[in-house]
Amino acid sequence: MTDVRFYHLQRSRLEDALPIMLRRTLEREARAVVRFSSPERLADLDEALWTFDEAEFIPHGHEETGFADQQPVWLTTSLDNPAGGSYLFITDGASTDGFEAFEVCCILFDGRHEPSVVQARQRWADIKGQAAVKELSYWKQNQRGGWEKQQ
């Protein structure tokens, strides 16, 4: 069963929030898959994971870098999970298909973009009653950019 979490970005861009979330995932000694809706967005975030902090980077790969089974974070536009990641991060409206194969599924959406909010509401309704869902939660950014679980 999967813990499904919706993350409502209001203060941060995906390029700022995702590296922090991935860092925490790696600190838990877990592997992750980040699913994008387009190759262009994958390329944008690929760059952000190398440059988000001068002192560190998030080790990751994608189809063009190879060594898929060795990557702690895998970037993709498809449903692949070559390194057996247990966390799935869905961005920019990418497909939620196959989320039940992961322990945790994080759906990140831009709260400043109305079509993204509408899509997130529909996804919530679609996922809510599924047997594969262990827990369904909604997290919203606070004034400092941290996450608060909403009721």
Side-chain angles (χ1 to χ4, degrees), residues 16-30 32 34 48-49 51-59 72-73 87 89:
D16 301 319
L18 185 61
I20 295 166
M21 297 173 92
L22 290 172
R23 180 191 311 142
R24 291 186 180 141
T25 301
L26 295 175
E27 287 170 356
R28 293 181 184 102
E29 298 183 12
V34 184
L49 294 178
T51 61
F52 82 97
D53 186 324
E54 289 182 17
E56 70 175 302
F57 66 93
I58 300 295
V73 174
Y87 279 67
F89 292 86

Side-chain angles (χ1 to χ4, degrees), residues 124-142:
W124 177 279
D126 293 344
I127 290 172
K128 188 174 183 180
Q130 292 190 26
V133 177
K134 177 179 175 182
E135 181 180 349
L136 183 60
S137 58
Y138 169 70
W139 298 79
K140 192 172 183 180
Q141 279 189 310
N142 61 28

Side-chain angles (χ1 to χ4, degrees), residues 8-13 16 112 141-146:
H8 189 155
L9 293 164
Q10 291 186 296
R11 299 270 174 221
S12 303
R13 299 173 312 141
D16 301 319
R112 298 162 296 198
Q141 279 189 310
N142 61 28
Q143 294 296 328
R144 298 177 323 276

Side-chain angles (χ1 to χ4, degrees), residues 20-120:
I20 295 166
M21 297 173 92
L22 290 172
R23 180 191 311 142
R24 291 186 180 141
T25 301
L26 295 175
E27 287 170 356
R28 293 181 184 102
E29 298 183 12
R31 291 178 178 255
V33 172
V34 184
R35 191 178 295 162
F36 298 94
S37 59
S38 73
E40 295 79 19
R41 285 298 283 158
L42 186 152
D44 291 344
L45 271 292
D46 178 29
E47 180 66 25
L49 294 178
W50 289 112
T51 61
F52 82 97
D53 186 324
E54 289 182 17
E56 70 175 302
F57 66 93
I58 300 295
H60 66 283
H62 48 81
E63 188 174 60
E64 292 179 17
T65 62
F67 305 101
D69 61 336
Q70 299 172 27
Q71 302 295 344
V73 174
W74 184 250
L75 311 181
T76 186
T77 57
S78 65
L79 305 182
D80 55 332
N81 183 8
S86 57
Y87 279 67
L88 172 63
F89 292 86
I90 296 175
T91 69
D92 302 318
S95 173
T96 58
D97 290 350
F99 78 87
E100 62 278 349
F102 295 83
E103 290 177 31
V104 178
C105 173
C106 302
I107 300 170
L108 291 82
F109 64 98
D110 186 346
R112 298 162 296 198
H113 184 246
E114 187 59 28
S116 296
V117 173
V118 169
Q119 182 185 49

